[in-house]
Amino acid sequence: MGPDDSVILEVDSFCFATGGKEILRDISFRVRRGAYVSIVGPNGAGKTTLLKCISRIYRGGRGTIRVRGRRLEDYRQQDLARQLSYVPQADGRHAPFTVREFVLMGRYPYLSPFSPPAPRDLEAVAAALETTGTGGFAERYLSTLSGGERQKVYIAAALAQETDVLLLDEPTTFLDPKHESDIYRLLAGINRSRGATIISVTHDINSAVVTSRTVLALKDGTVAYDGPAEGFMREDVLCAIYEKPFELMTHPGSGRTIVAPEVP
């Protein structure tokens, strides 16, 4: 095995512009197999754009993105979908499908257009439903589910895709504390038990450092921090990125440094 075989994603000197505006500038980082990476930063920093460039929802740009050592543009879309799965940010729209039908769509990289699902496809769907705890409402329509239940279904569809890398765009947006905790617990379990690589965009700094091992912080389209989660929680680092002071405290359960709630 070569020295870089553990690196599953490489982004080198990547720049991306749209509408005449440069969104990402000289982005470089590496993600190793089995990592849990949180992408954080102020609004407009380019977090979602970066995730969409990695998943090739947005095409183009300058520089290089490699998945398993292979340039992104060298993949056929179907082959790339066997390497990366993408869970989009919730937008309030509901697809007119049952949970089981929607999760089965996650098998699209393997399905033949004119053939019924194979036993392997049905097994993958059943395993994804079980892992996410969504099997109990597999025959319900997505429109009947709560936000937390739907988010688990979206993750189930990504798991049914059977990739090594899950890209998630703010997976807990609009969720109440219970469902937010459920989603983070689910992702941590997938990371530990399956060895899946998790790359997740989030606005929640505390959740980022408690759940992930690595933080990638963007500011104005550039990398402002790339390193261990605990190293991110320093007042000088946070102030440089967010341009405001922070009060820090020790989490009573994990012992990690977190941001204390602000008092008005």
Side-chain angles (χ1 to χ4, degrees):
M1 300 179 83
D4 290 325
D5 284 347
S6 66
V7 176
I8 202 164
L9 173 68
E10 299 173 83
V11 179
D12 292 321
S13 302
F14 186 75
C15 305
F16 182 81
T18 183
K21 180 181 179 182
E22 194 169 43
I23 308 298
L24 301 173
R25 294 184 289 114
D26 199 28
I27 301 287
S28 296
F29 65 95
R30 292 185 174 189
V31 176
R32 297 192 178 277
R33 183 180 295 108
Y36 193 134
V37 181
S38 289
I39 302 177
V40 303
N43 289 340
K47 303 182 295 296
T48 292
T49 297
L50 175 60
L51 209 65
K52 289 185 175 181
C53 288
I54 294 170
S55 59
R56 212 163 64 182
I57 293 172
Y58 291 165
R59 295 174 179 261
R62 303 190 316 276
T64 306
I65 299 177
R66 293 184 178 89
V67 177
R68 294 184 179 277
R70 184 178 175 187
R71 291 167 62 95
L72 200 63
E73 57 265 34
D74 293 338
Y75 279 95
R76 294 188 311 149
Q77 192 60 35
Q78 187 177 34
D79 293 333
L80 183 62
R82 297 183 181 187
Q83 305 295 330
L84 307 173
S85 55
Y86 175 75
V87 180
Q89 187 177 122
D91 60 6
R93 292 179 292 181
H94 311 312
F97 302 105
T98 67
V99 168
R100 190 182 305 279
E101 290 169 341
F102 186 81
V103 175
L104 180 59
M105 290 178 186
R107 296 296 297 168
Y108 75 92
Y110 312 95
L111 294 173
S112 173
F114 303 107
S115 301
R120 180 72 197 96
D121 299 314
L122 300 179
E123 290 169 7
V125 169
L129 292 172
E130 181 178 0
T131 297
T132 55
T134 54
F137 46 84
E139 309 311 322
R140 288 173 56 186
Y141 282 89
L142 289 175
S143 59
T144 70
L145 305 181
S146 70
E149 290 169 336
R150 272 197 305 276
Q151 195 64 22
K152 289 181 181 179
V153 172
Y154 296 157
I155 294 172
L159 292 179
Q161 210 169 315
E162 291 189 308
T163 68
D164 288 337
V165 183
L166 274 69
L167 307 174
L168 303 106
D169 189 6
E170 299 194 45
T172 60
T173 300
F174 307 125
L175 298 187
D176 60 43
K178 177 188 181 304
H179 287 104
E180 179 179 296
S181 177
D182 287 346
I183 293 299
Y184 282 126
R185 191 176 298 111
L186 172 60
L187 294 176
I190 292 167
N191 176 247
R192 286 194 303 265
S193 64
R194 295 182 172 223
T197 303
I198 306 289
I199 304 174
S200 178
V201 167
T202 180
H203 278 291
D204 190 332
I205 300 172
N206 284 337
S207 293
V209 299
V210 170
T211 60
S212 59
R213 293 186 292 277
T214 301
V215 169
L216 177 74
L218 302 184
K219 181 184 180 184
D220 298 328
T222 65
V223 175
Y225 179 87
D226 178 16
E230 54 269 24
F232 178 68
M233 277 303 198
R234 291 184 3 219
E235 189 173 1
D236 59 330
V237 173
L238 293 171
C239 285
I241 294 170
Y242 291 97
E243 299 181 359
K244 68 178 294 296
F246 288 85
E247 290 285 343
L248 303 179
M249 61 180 288
T250 300
H251 189 283
S254 68
R256 292 197 179 193
T257 302
I258 60 173
V259 173
E262 291 190 15
V263 179

